[in-house]
Amino acid sequence: HFTLSFKEEADSKCYECCQKAVEFDATNPEAYQLMASCLLSQQNMEEARKMLDKSLELWQGKDEELPEV
């Protein structure tokens, strides 16, 4: 019982921290990747896919911000 309770608490804390990261900087693709990872660990595949899609969208936009060499 302790292990299950600890895992549930850890999952909840992970999700909470990921939400804060996304709220702090909604343009950071890594925040969405972390959220997807957290959601995958909770077996929430549909929401994880949405977060990965958002992350990819943001990563693709980062190419335009890079200075030309």
Side-chain angles (χ1 to χ4, degrees), residues 19-51:
Q19 276 188 309
K20 287 181 182 181
V22 168
E23 289 171 11
F24 181 75
D25 184 1
T27 65
N28 183 347
E30 292 181 57
Y32 290 93
Q33 284 180 299
L34 285 172
M35 177 67 88
S37 179
C38 177
L39 290 164
L40 284 172
S41 74
Q42 297 173 3
Q43 304 297 312
N44 190 341
M45 304 306 174
E46 187 170 327
E47 286 300 311
R49 178 181 292 270
K50 289 178 187 177
M51 294 297 117

Side-chain angles (χ1 to χ4, degrees), residues 14 38 46 52 59 63 65 67:
C14 177
C38 177
E46 187 170 327
L52 286 174
W59 276 118
D63 290 344
E65 297 174 15

